[in-house]
Every structure is written in C-alpha cells, then in structure tokens.
Amino acid sequence: MRENPTELLNKILQGEDPLLELKEVRFAGGKLTGPRQSDLADEIAAFANGQGGRIVLGVQDKPRAVVGIPHEHLDLVEELARNACCDSIEPLVASTIRRMKLPDANGNEKPVILVQVPGTQRVHSSPSGYLHRIGSSKRQLTPEHLELLFRQRSHDRHSGFDESPVSEASLNVLDKSLCERFRTPRSLDDQSMLLTKLAMAMSDEHGVLRPTVAGILLGCERPDQYLPHAMIQAVAYKGTSISDLATSTYQRDARNIRGPLDAQIFEACNFVSKNMFNLARKNSTGGRVDLPQYDMLSVFEALTNAVAHRDYSMRGSKVRLRMFDNRLELYVPGMLCGSMTPESLPYRQSVRNDAIASLLARCPVRSGHLVSSHREHIMDRRGEGVPIILDRSTRLSGQTPTYRLNKDTELALTIFGVDPNGR
C-alpha cells in the first residue's frame, strides 16, 4: 500500500509513536555515519515483533524536521536499509523500502526513504537480541514475554497461511481439471464460487480474487512457479551415513519432486519403492517370501503428513527425503503446533493447514497404487496416520520409528528398514 505524503507528514509532526520511528541520516566526508546498520536492524525487528510500523529516514525526531537525504547518497541509504532487513535480522524481515519526497519547514521537497515494516508471523532477533516496541521506544523482551510471543506466533502461523491469497498469481493459473475434481455432485456453484468455498481462492486487499496458497498447491500444474520451496527433495544414498562420503557413500538416485501435492506424494512413494532393497526370506515350509524393506502404507502416511502439515510460510525450506541402506529420514519444515511435542504425536491431532488437509481428504488414491487397497482418499483426517507409521513399521523391521525436533525449525522422522543383510 502506497503511503500518502500529506498523511505521513502529519504523522511526523505529531512525533514518534508505537508505529512510527524517525531517523536523521548523517554523513561525514561523504561517508555514512548514522544510523548504523545494527541500530536500524534493531528498530525494524522491534516493529516486526509487534504490529509492524514505519521508519522514515531523513527526518529528525527533535524538532520533527524533514532534513532529507542528499540525492547522491540515496542508493547508499537504501542499501543500508536493505542489508539491515536481510543480513542483520533472523529470520529476515521482508520490508518495503520506498523513496519519496516530503516538504521541509520552508516548503522545499526533500528526498527521504520510507521503510514499511510488516507485523509478521515469526519472532525476529536483531543485533541487540529480541526487542519489541513500547510507545516510541524499543525494549528487550522478557523471557516470559518472549516465550509467550513464540507460542502465539507459532499458533498464528498454523492458522490460515494456506488460505492467504498469492498476490502475484491470477485465477487463470489454476488448471480447471485439477480444481473440478474437488466439486461434489450436489455443487451447482460457478468456478469462482466453488474455489472460494474450497479456500482455493480469496480476495486480496484490493478486492481482486486470487488463488490461495492451498489453491496453488493443489490446483496448479506447476506450484513451484509461485512457491519455489513447495517440493520434496529426495536422495537415495549408498551406505548408512553421509559422513561416509569420502569412502563408500554416494547418491544412488536423486530427484526434486514437484507438481500438485497429491502428485508429489505418489512420486515420492515411487521413489522409495524404486530405491529400497528387494528382500526375500524362507517361510516355515521352505518357500520364498518377498519382504519389502519398508511398509509402504507407513511411507505413504508419512509423506502425506509432511506435505499436509509443513509450514509453507518458511520460504526456502523444503521437505527432504533421505534414504540410506538401513533407514529412511524425512525432514518437515516447521515447529509443531501449539503445545504439541514429538511424544504427543501418536495421541493428539493438530492441523496446521486446514484447507490443504480438507482438499487432500477429497483426493482419491490413484487406482492400482501400492496403498489403494488400504485407502480410498489420500487423507482420512481421523488422526490414524502416526499410529499407522509407528505400528506397521515396528512390526516389519523390529525398530520403532522416531520423531524429533531439529532446532525448532523442522520435524524429523526416521523409519528403520528391514536389514538387507538379514541381521
């Protein structure tokens, strides 16, 4: 949203407040001396940890005077703001940096730079730690407040991101046949209404109907054109550890699996089926019994949960599938919802992406697929996925799969395979 110069000037004249910070830009001998990148990053992170706000560079706080930025230094100041957002804050804050002109006390227009900071769904640290805005100043978050903020933001991120509109996409990027498969026989709605009811489309801030994240992920042939991180990176290694790379470990197979989420699940299952060992044992009568290394229904459930519940707001993070000679590892971006822990997964349900889960519950399992005899639709939403993974995999291999959190940024699942050497 573009800022109205007159309204902004009126805000400046009223002084700093919880949503406005004013910064004079200082130079000495052509060198930028203030503000420092670390100080600017602290201000940006403090806004991002609250409701967001605006920083105007080129304005003195006292006496609230527009002094401007020399034209020849605008690039330098803009780079300072960009680096503060991207390099000095973790995770980075996607602020809008805009050049504009404001009149000084004599009515002469002066160049300034406006940094519009969004209130985000993450908790951000900057060079001075975890900060937030109180009135017209910033303060350190107390440990109690910080813990509460992490919980609140985690819950917010789990609620509705998949229903947010994708601003750079229009409805015509959705494939009609992919969308129509979700229509019930009783539905008489036109296409736009159907997509809206399914949460596959939503109006943006300007009232334009656009595909949602869920719509792109399940109604578009190439979701990665708009959500490049929405993919499964699959690698099959020879050996039992990547650290063996210098000796015996190498990639036996590797694929970046893209496409609609249901297609990703099926293709990833095929990848596992292709790369797991074909085992055989003798039964009690001496006959041959074929034995899969992994229970494919467990693998199917694990992959379904991965794409259904991952945090799609974590741009740059992808689902990672790793196969070794003795185990399969699956890394899923995102913290667990609310108070969920790895230990509580078999006993409780928590849905991060309700629209995606609802759509996958309508997607039929491909005819003839390895799990088609067990499941009619991809997701059943009865909370049976994790128990199936644990029970069936344990019965097959004798080892119970494990869940763990990696640095609070991803959930890791290990499914142990039947020992190909029969040990």
Side-chain angles (χ1 to χ4, degrees):
M1 185 172 135
R2 295 188 70 82
E3 190 73 46
N4 182 292
T6 302
E7 293 180 359
L8 180 58
L9 185 60
N10 288 334
K11 290 286 187 182
I12 290 171
L13 294 176
Q14 295 175 42
E16 293 181 342
D17 61 26
L19 302 176
L20 180 66
E21 175 73 20
L22 307 176
K23 291 277 185 195
E24 180 182 3
V25 181
R26 301 181 299 277
F27 297 88
K31 182 179 179 181
L32 179 62
T33 60
R36 294 182 302 173
Q37 181 173 314
S38 59
D39 294 336
L40 185 57
D42 286 342
E43 300 289 357
I44 293 169
F47 277 130
N49 286 335
Q51 300 176 5
R54 297 169 294 184
I55 301 172
V56 188
L57 300 171
V59 179
Q60 291 178 336
D61 176 27
K62 296 175 182 178
R64 303 172 190 173
V66 176
V67 294
I69 301 169
H71 285 279
E72 64 271 20
H73 295 317
L74 282 170
D75 288 344
L76 184 61
V77 178
E78 183 174 333
E79 182 181 10
L80 170 75
R82 185 167 55 249
N83 291 342
C85 293
C86 299
D87 299 338
S88 298
I89 301 174
E90 180 64 33
L92 63 82
V93 177
S95 301
T96 301
I97 303 170
R98 178 188 165 203
R99 301 183 188 190
M100 59 189 305
K101 290 184 177 181
L102 294 175
D104 64 12
N106 298 318
N108 300 314
E109 291 198 331
K110 300 284 187 176
V112 300
I113 288 181
L114 173 65
V115 182
Q116 294 176 295
V117 183
T120 75
Q121 295 178 327
R122 312 297 298 276
V123 182
H124 303 271
S125 64
S126 56
S128 295
Y130 289 97
L131 307 172
H132 67 145
R133 190 86 172 179
I134 297 181
S136 60
S137 61
K138 57 187 182 294
R139 293 286 187 273
Q140 289 279 351
L141 284 159
T142 65
E144 295 78 12
H145 192 169
L146 182 59
E147 180 182 2
L148 178 61
L149 188 59
F150 266 114
R151 288 187 176 277
Q152 289 175 337
R153 295 280 169 101
S154 174
H155 180 269
D156 289 344
R157 252 192 356 265
H158 303 152
S159 305
F161 181 81
D162 59 332
E163 298 180 34
S164 59
V166 178
S167 60
E168 60 269 32
S170 59
L171 283 187
N172 59 17
V173 307
L174 300 181
D175 182 274
K176 185 175 181 180
S177 62
L178 289 178
C179 297
E180 283 294 318
R181 60 189 172 153
F182 301 114
R183 185 188 292 274
T184 65
R186 292 175 295 177
S187 175
L188 300 177
D189 297 312
D190 61 24
Q191 185 79 354
S192 296
M193 182 58 68
L194 174 68
L195 295 174
T196 302
K197 287 184 175 180
L198 292 169
M200 296 180 73
M202 180 175 289
S203 296
D204 64 13
E205 59 182 0
H206 304 294
V208 179
L209 193 62
R210 297 191 182 279
T212 61
V213 170
I216 290 290
L217 292 173
L218 282 150
C220 182
E221 288 285 359
R222 290 291 307 276
D224 57 299
Q225 291 182 338
Y226 304 94
L227 302 166
H229 57 296
M231 57 174 284
I232 299 174
Q233 184 185 72
V235 183
Y237 294 98
K238 179 181 178 181
T240 59
S241 172
I242 294 179
S243 63
D244 296 337
L245 186 60
T247 53
S248 62
T249 302
Y250 63 91
Q251 293 184 8
R252 291 191 283 116
D253 195 4
R255 276 200 63 192
N256 287 332
I257 300 172
R258 299 182 172 90
L261 293 188
D262 53 314
Q264 290 187 31
I265 295 168
F266 296 130
E267 293 306 313
C269 280
N270 292 341
F271 183 89
V272 173
S273 180
K274 172 188 173 184
N275 287 287
M276 69 181 180
F277 292 107
N278 296 312
L279 309 172
R281 289 183 180 173
K282 291 183 179 181
N283 59 22
S284 58
T285 62
R288 173 190 169 101
V289 177
D290 291 326
L291 186 68
Q293 188 180 18
Y294 299 103
D295 175 70
M296 287 309 299
L297 180 57
S298 298
V299 172
F300 178 84
E301 292 286 356
L303 289 165
T304 298
N305 285 344
V307 302
H309 299 305
R310 65 151 291 182
D311 187 345
Y312 286 98
S313 71
M314 295 178 64
R315 295 185 180 272
S317 300
K318 58 185 77 66
V319 174
R320 294 180 291 133
L321 170 64
R322 301 287 184 263
M323 293 184 67
F324 297 91
D325 285 355
N326 62 346
R327 70 190 185 282
L328 176 156
E329 296 178 349
L330 196 61
Y331 298 90
V332 184
M335 298 169 61
L336 288 172
C337 302
S339 60
M340 292 283 287
T341 65
E343 294 73 25
S344 67
L345 286 171
Y347 308 101
R348 296 172 54 192
Q349 271 189 288
S350 185
V351 179
R352 185 193 303 276
N353 304 304
D354 191 63
I356 291 174
S358 295
L359 293 170
L360 287 174
R362 294 170 177 259
C363 277
V365 172
R366 289 178 179 175
S367 176
H369 193 267
L370 293 167
V371 300
S372 59
S373 60
H374 300 278
R375 179 68 51 77
E376 182 178 356
H377 294 93
I378 291 177
M379 207 166 190
D380 66 8
R381 305 203 69 178
R382 290 180 295 184
E384 297 178 352
V386 173
I388 286 174
I389 294 167
L390 297 177
D391 295 344
R392 292 178 65 100
S393 294
T394 302
R395 286 202 305 269
L396 180 65
S397 70
Q399 297 186 76
T400 302
T402 62
Y403 285 94
R404 67 185 187 279
L405 287 174
N406 286 342
K407 298 179 180 179
D408 288 335
T409 61
E410 63 181 1
L411 179 68
L413 165 65
T414 299
I415 299 178
F416 299 97
V418 176
D419 192 331
N421 298 311
R423 293 192 294 270

